[in-house]
Amino acid sequence: MKRSVLLLSLALMAATPVAFASSFAGTSAGSSAGGSSASSGASSDSSSGKDDKVVQAAREDAASFVASDGAIRGAQLEAALRHLREQVPQAREASDLELAQAILAQ
């Protein structure tokens, strides 16, 4: 189980900086340049930033889920689990508890 959590954590961490960088670059470029190419880049990058926000917003729910050994399941965690299973191939085989631990390990 620990190995799969480690692998999921690495997969999530590998995807996260791209989302942060894309979101940051899109915001910076859109506000400072004001040009059409900058604003189109910002809009295309906004979905990856949104995806990352789904996982980040679930941290508190993930902590409750892990601490309660799966008894407490928040809506934000449910959304993040769905999102991760759609976006990260390794997440499809992981249990909910493993994914929640991976969210906390970020």
Side-chain angles (χ1 to χ4, degrees):
M1 180 168 127
K2 295 215 183 240
R3 181 178 176 181
S4 60
V5 170
L6 177 63
L7 290 174
L8 284 170
S9 296
L10 291 174
L12 290 172
M13 284 189 271
T16 301
V18 173
F20 278 131
S22 297
S23 178
F24 178 76
T27 304
S28 300
S31 63
S32 63
S36 62
S37 63
S39 63
S40 66
S43 65
S44 66
D45 289 337
S46 65
S47 64
S48 63
K50 176 185 169 268
D51 294 344
D52 186 57
K53 288 179 183 178
V54 169
V55 175
Q56 291 300 315
R59 288 182 60 89
E60 190 172 317
D61 281 0
S64 297
F65 183 78
V66 171
S68 69
D69 200 27
I72 300 173
R73 299 179 69 91
Q76 290 177 326
L77 177 62
E78 293 294 334
L81 294 176
R82 257 189 322 277
H83 169 72
L84 288 171
R85 288 194 171 109
E86 291 170 359
Q87 301 298 320
V88 181
Q90 299 92 333
R92 293 180 187 127
E93 301 298 321
S95 70
D96 290 351
L97 184 59
E98 290 170 328
L99 289 177
Q101 290 170 334
I103 290 169
L104 292 174
Q106 281 192 10

